[in-house]
Every structure is written in structure tokens, then in C-alpha cells.
Amino acid sequence: MTLTLSQRPSPPSSIAYFSMEVGLESGMPTYSGGLGVLAGDTLKAAADLSIPLVGVTLLHRKGYFRQELDAQGNQTERAFDWDPQDFLELLTPKVTMSIEGRPVRIQAWRYLIRSPSGHTVPVYFLDTQVQGNTEWDQALTDHLYGGDERYRLCQEAVLGMGGVAMLRSLGYTEIQAFHMNEGHSALLSLALLKEQLGERDIVAASQEDIDRVRQMCVFTTHTPIPAGHDKFPLDLVEKVLGQAPARFLAGGQANVDGELNLTSLALMFSWYVNGVSHRHEKISQDMFPDYPINSITNGVHAATWTSPPFKQLYDRHMEEWQEDSLYLRYAINIPREEIMDAHREAKQHLLKEVLRRSGQKLEDDVFTIGFARRATPYKRADLLFTDLERLRTIARQVGRFQVIFAGKAHPKDEGGKELIRRIFRAAEALKPEVPVIYLQGYKMSLGLSLCSGVDLWLNTPMKPREASGTSGMKAALNGVPSLSVPDGWWLEGHVEGVTGWSIEDGQEGSESGAAEAESLYHKLGSVILPLYYRNPMDYAGIMRAAIALNGSFFSAQRMMVQYLNNAYRPTNNRRS
Ligand SMILES: *Cc1c(COP(=O)(O)O)cnc(C)c1O
């Protein structure tokens, strides 16, 4: 095979961003939810800002999964087969690594993110479906978050260690910062340590060797509870990685209660660690008192998450907004009528989409609430349905409203699956006073339609479990205010009655949420619906403030600049 021009090894870049999932386009099922979409938005922002950064992830040939829901809300999962060739270019170099003592060959597919100014950020999707690999090894990069512990650890070895090897073979020899987006890629630190050691045995690694690697690594943690962190039994680690690496890991801070904890491994090897909101920094600091934790609040990629009518509106009023999302601050001067017009268009688009997908016709002059998230108990998608009679009364006495849900439950998350069924039962019980629709197959394109087409974005997680949350930021970009529990990003974006509303009185860690449900009903019935129906111009003022105050700040470009200023500093330009 001849080497075409585009397959030449790329020039060296200086930052490598590793993530188990990356969401770049709706048609590529290489993400499961917030973490992957954030990774995709991060890479797009790096391209916008001409930052020399490359992404590394796994191919996920069978995707996360395709969700199907029956009339009772029972979820079934099907493989999401897709053809990488439709989106990616297969590169020539192959690397070989050892897994469970076997050689495993890895190839890479490239996606090029091109910014409006022409800067490109390549993203490498690692793939073990290579001739010569055993059938089991060929399937290693098939399923995102599928399989058992052994499958998962092997995948993480491919991502972290195979990823470093692939970058080197593609010509990236000068990388100055390795960014681990969540602990899944923490094994990259072992690959860097091995490079540092040269011929020396890993068990002989000194603190100085570890410190050398630490100078290069950055870690972003996303999980606010200890149970959410990836861990593996040490005997499995020995089987997969070999005796010497297992002995090294067992002897260090990554051995937590006899298990390899990937978060601890990432912490041990990173000079800079951050949580994804100010609140999450504090939560993480309590969880990991031995390491200094910083915060960089997540953001969303404005050009990706702005609906066509709002794009046109922004193009008219501040044409630079795509290259520099801070210009969205100027939205404060857009006439409210124009905001209402753009929103009406986005809402009509959503309701058409709902009709197409569900056969159900919703009315466009009825107040519409949106809720789309991973279906998992702590997100409490059913908090709204604590008291159905109360909802009927509000609809009857104050003003009509309708609710649109979407979200997948992880195949093994029984609590999440029950949550979907509960929403279906509530929808049935609320007929016909309050229309409730659950759309199947939540993905990026549906996410954009929902975040931009509803009148209110509802968020009811159990505090303090929402490390950041990003869908409310997407809503804000489209002038959709939030009604949310004060957790994650909303603690920073919330100005009561200005950018949206808060659901108060929740006890930290409380599952019942009775007080929060009460607050939710109060805000909806006494504040939000009356404003929407009786004072639409004031409602549009809140929509406008959501854009100007939150759309401008909670952007991936601002986040990327903060990583640049704080996390990707050269060693001679660091605090402390
Ligand atoms: C934005 C997005 C998410 C993450 O939303 P959160 O509010 O952070 O939970 C998940 N899935 C899809 C498809 C998204 O677009």
C-alpha cells in the first residue's frame, strides 16, 4: 500500500488528550453521555483556539447501544453498528502491546476537526480489529462500557498504553502534556514511566522517575462519589499487565484496599488535578485530601450546541461569536422580540421532531419542559412526579404545560431502567391534563433539538452528585433558562429570576427529595408559569440573560483557555 499524502505521520503536537469516550457527531456512537460529549467539545474548542492538541480514544465499533422502549417503558439494547469508514480515515502504522502475555496489534483511525480558521485537531480512534489478533482481542475496542472487569481493564490498557505507543509511532515525540479525562486512561502513566526508565525494571522506579512523569500529566476527575471510581483486583492486574507492573502498582498509592484504583493512579502521576466545577473541587478535595485539587468548570462548544435560528440571530448581532464565544455577552442588547422569534422556530422544530419520532402532536403555545439525561437514580428524573394531583392542579389553575424526556439507562443499571418505567406510568396517569412524552434513543442531535426547543430545562439531581452537568449550559446558549437543584455548574450560573430558578431545601445526599419537590411545584406554579403566560416579554428577558450571562461563560473555549493558563503550563512557568 502506498502512503498517501494525508497518511504521512503528522507533525508533533504538544498536548495529548485521552478519553475513553469522545462524542464528535451524532452518527458516530463513540460516546455514552456527558463525559464523551465534553471530550468532543474540548477538542473542538482546541481547534478553534489553534491549540496544538491531539485526541486519543477507542473506536467502539459496536458503539454504546441503540435504545428501544416498549409501551411500558421497558428498555432493550441493540448493538449500534456503524461503519468507521464513513467518518474516519484508517492510518497505516500499527503498534503491538502485550496484554495477558499475548501480543495485541493496534491500528488507528483519524478524525480531523477543522476550525473555521482552518486549524486542525486530529483525534485518533484505536482499534484492535487487526489480523493476527485473537478473536477476543479483536473485539476489545467494540463496546463502550460493556463486558466484565477483565474486558474493561484490557480496554483501558489499550487506551492508555496502546495510545502512547500509537502517538509515538505517528511521530508525536515531543508531547509536553498528557491530559487524562477521567481515570479510564490512567494507565498511560505506566507507559510514560516505562519510557522514562528505558532499560531499567519498573519495580526499580524511584520517586524521581515518578516525578518526571508527573511533570507531564494532567488529570480531570468527574466523579463525586468513591463508588464511581474505576478499580480492579490486583490478581487481575497481574494477569493483564504482567508481574512487574502489578508489583509496582501494588506497592504504591494506587493500591487502595487491595485494589488498583485508577483515580488514585492518575492522582499519583499528575502535577495538576482538577474537578469540573467549583463545588466539585471541594467534594474531590474531601475525597482525596492528600492531593491539591483545582477547579475548571466544564463548558460546551457554542457552535455545536446552538440551534440554527439562534445561529442566525447571533450572526446578525455579533458575527465573531463562533470564533470567540465571549462575544455572546453582547446578547444582553438583542431585542427580546428577536429572541422570542428565534425560540419559536427552535420550538417548532422540536415539536416536529417529537411528532416524527413518537407520533404524538404537542401544541406549540403550551409551556414545554425538557429533561434529557442518563437514566440513573441519582439524576431523579421522576422528582417532578412526586405528587401527580399537584401537577394536575397547577395545569388546571395556572397554565398548561407538557414535558419531554429522553435518556438511556446503562444495560446493567436496573434502578435506571425502573426510573424510565416509572416515568411511563406517570405519563399514563397524567393523561390528558399533562402530556408527558419519553423519546427513545437520546443522542447529540436529539440533545440539541431538546435543549433549544423547550421553554424550561429541568434538572433535579441528588446533591452533591452532579459534578458539573452540561445540558443546562446547552439550553442557556439557546436562551432556555433552567429550573435546577443548586449543584454542579448551576451554583455558578444561577441568579434567581435572572438566569433561571433554583430548587431549594434539598438535604445533601437525601434520596426522598420531598422538600425539593415542594420547592419545584412552588417555583413552577407560582413563579415560572405565571411569568410565561402573563408576562411573556419578561420571560424573554430571562431567556436573554441566560444567553448573555451563562452562554458566554459556560463555553468550551473559556474552559480550554483555563486549561491552557493553569494545567498546560510549561514546567518553568508554574505556581508553587
Ligand atoms: C450534553 C449531553 C449529555 C450530558 O448532559 P448532562 O446534563 O451533563 O447530563 C449526555 N448525552 C447527550 C447526548 C448530550 O448531548
Side-chain angles (χ1 to χ4, degrees):
M1 185 179 175
T2 53
L3 215 59
T4 66
L5 192 65
S6 64
Q7 286 176 322
R8 275 188 321 180
S10 311
S13 286
S14 60
I15 303 157
Y17 181 88
F18 280 64
S19 182
M20 178 57 95
E21 46 172 316
V22 174
L24 291 164
E25 294 185 27
S26 242
M28 287 170 68
T30 54
Y31 63 94
S32 84
L35 185 74
V37 174
L38 175 85
D41 281 12
T42 302
L43 294 161
K44 290 173 188 172
D48 291 344
L49 299 169
S50 301
I51 295 172
L53 187 141
V54 301
V56 179
T57 185
L58 301 185
L59 184 62
H60 306 302
R61 273 180 192 275
K62 304 226 182 285
Y64 186 47
F65 64 87
R66 217 184 261 287
Q67 177 194 47
E68 276 167 21
L69 298 173
D70 70 12
Q72 280 73 47
N74 296 301
Q75 172 182 297
T76 46
E77 300 98 23
R78 286 202 294 136
F80 195 140
D81 282 306
W82 61 294
D83 191 349
Q85 292 196 58
D86 293 343
F87 302 89
L88 307 170
E89 182 189 2
L90 180 61
L91 305 180
T92 321
K94 296 194 174 35
V95 296
T96 303
M97 67 179 292
S98 170
I99 293 180
E100 296 181 328
R102 295 185 303 281
V104 174
R105 302 215 316 146
I106 304 170
Q107 61 187 10
W109 298 74
R110 185 174 66 186
Y111 183 98
L112 272 186
I113 301 171
R114 201 178 296 277
S115 77
S117 69
H119 184 79
T120 56
V121 162
V123 188
Y124 298 105
F125 289 80
L126 307 175
D127 176 18
T128 56
Q129 199 177 103
V130 181
Q131 253 191 11
N133 286 343
T134 66
E135 208 175 305
W136 195 79
D137 290 337
Q138 292 207 19
L140 265 182
T141 48
D142 275 358
H143 294 280
L144 174 58
Y145 305 138
D148 56 10
E149 266 183 337
R150 173 186 169 217
Y151 184 78
R152 185 74 169 265
L153 181 58
C154 292
Q155 276 194 327
E156 297 190 4
V158 172
L159 175 64
M161 305 165 86
V164 171
M166 180 57 76
L167 286 178
R168 298 308 188 207
S169 99
L170 290 170
Y172 295 98
T173 51
E174 311 266 305
I175 293 170
Q176 282 150 16
F178 288 82
H179 189 159
M180 299 172 242
N181 185 42
E182 192 52 302
H184 311 123
S185 51
L187 290 172
L188 73 82
S189 60
L190 280 194
L192 296 178
L193 184 63
K194 281 188 179 162
E195 288 184 346
Q196 177 63 32
L197 292 167
E199 296 296 302
R200 284 182 293 145
D201 192 332
I202 189 164
V203 270
S206 65
Q207 188 57 45
E208 200 188 335
D209 296 317
I210 294 173
D211 285 342
R212 287 249 164 78
V213 175
R214 285 187 86 228
Q215 293 305 317
M216 292 188 276
C217 293
V218 168
F219 173 46
T220 300
T221 175
H222 294 262
T223 316
I225 50 155
H229 299 269
D230 247 353
K231 16 188 188 323
F232 299 99
L234 288 172
D235 54 344
L236 179 67
V237 174
E238 181 170 334
K239 275 194 206 113
V240 171
L241 302 182
Q243 211 171 26
R247 260 175 62 207
F248 167 78
L249 292 168
Q253 292 119 297
N255 177 348
V256 179
D257 304 328
E259 290 185 305
L260 170 64
N261 183 310
L262 272 286
T263 299
S264 300
L265 180 64
L267 287 167
M268 165 183 168
F269 273 103
S270 297
W271 86 271
Y272 184 92
V273 179
N274 71 288
V276 289
S277 68
H278 190 60
R279 175 89 174 110
H280 182 232
E281 171 198 321
K282 307 288 177 230
I283 299 286
S284 304
Q285 191 64 79
D286 289 346
M287 232 181 331
F288 309 110
D290 299 339
Y291 300 91
I293 316 271
N294 306 274
S295 65
I296 295 179
T297 302
N298 284 341
V300 297
H301 186 249
T304 301
W305 294 108
T306 301
S307 63
F310 275 89
K311 278 187 166 165
Q312 287 158 20
L313 180 67
Y314 300 156
D315 283 345
R316 280 205 305 278
H317 287 274
M318 50 241 175
E319 55 179 352
E320 313 90 333
W321 71 279
Q322 293 208 31
E323 289 89 66
D324 183 350
S325 51
L326 273 176
Y327 282 101
L328 289 168
R329 188 64 178 76
Y330 295 176
I332 203 70
N333 291 318
I334 297 178
R336 288 174 294 181
E337 291 82 353
E338 292 188 41
I339 306 250
M340 290 163 105
D341 287 347
H343 179 66
R344 191 170 306 115
E345 221 181 291
K347 187 170 182 178
Q348 279 161 358
H349 172 83
L350 169 65
L351 299 191
K352 259 190 221 140
E353 177 83 8
V354 169
L355 180 63
R356 191 179 67 75
R357 286 166 163 261
S358 71
Q360 284 176 269
K361 193 161 168 37
L362 294 178
E363 290 171 53
D364 65 4
D365 57 353
V366 172
F367 186 75
T368 305
I369 300 173
F371 188 111
R373 279 187 191 84
R374 218 151 31 86
T376 196
Y378 88 83
K379 301 257 191 187
R380 291 193 305 194
D382 58 343
L383 188 75
L384 178 66
F385 302 128
T386 306
D387 182 349
L388 300 185
E389 195 43 44
R390 187 83 180 266
L391 286 178
R392 290 191 197 98
T393 307
I394 293 172
R396 215 178 302 127
Q397 296 182 350
V398 189
R400 292 193 298 155
F401 60 92
Q402 52 203 7
V403 197
I404 309 173
F405 283 90
K408 297 175 177 177
H410 184 278
K412 291 187 181 140
D413 185 353
E414 285 309 321
K417 290 184 169 181
E418 175 55 26
L419 197 54
I420 299 177
R421 285 192 287 268
R422 220 175 299 150
I423 294 167
F424 271 69
R425 289 197 291 271
E428 204 48 45
L430 284 168
K431 272 181 190 165
E433 289 108 315
V434 182
V436 175
I437 290 181
Y438 202 112
L439 298 175
Q440 62 184 18
Y442 183 35
K443 55 178 183 169
M444 288 173 70
S445 52
L446 178 58
L448 175 58
S449 302
L450 278 167
C451 288
S452 59
V454 298
D455 299 301
L456 181 73
W457 196 247
L458 182 66
N459 184 36
T460 50
M462 220 179 274
K463 285 191 294 188
R465 299 279 305 268
E466 190 81 313
S468 167
T470 51
S471 55
M473 304 173 182
K474 300 171 192 168
L477 262 178
N478 293 283
V480 173
S482 285
L483 169 60
S484 169
V485 163
D487 200 13
W489 84 279
W490 190 235
L491 283 164
E492 300 157 37
H494 164 244
V495 185
E496 184 70 13
V498 176
T499 57
W501 303 269
S502 262
I503 296 168
E504 305 295 347
D505 298 328
Q507 296 289 313
E508 199 96 317
S510 154
E511 304 212 0
S512 84
E516 285 158 299
E518 180 56 40
S519 171
L520 197 175
Y521 295 142
H522 167 72
K523 295 275 165 87
L524 185 65
S526 306
V527 182
I528 301 171
L529 281 170
L531 187 72
Y532 180 81
Y533 281 117
R534 292 174 210 155
N535 239 327
M537 203 49 93
D538 285 354
Y539 199 88
I542 291 179
M543 300 175 72
R544 180 171 67 179
I547 302 165
L549 300 183
N550 288 344
S552 64
F553 181 81
F554 295 97
S555 85
Q557 289 179 3
R558 182 270 312 153
M559 170 181 71
M560 202 61 214
V561 168
Q562 286 198 285
Y563 278 111
L564 211 51
N565 285 339
N566 298 284
Y568 304 153
R569 284 163 178 261
T571 39
N572 60 6
N573 182 22
R574 290 179 183 173
R575 279 171 281 144
S576 80

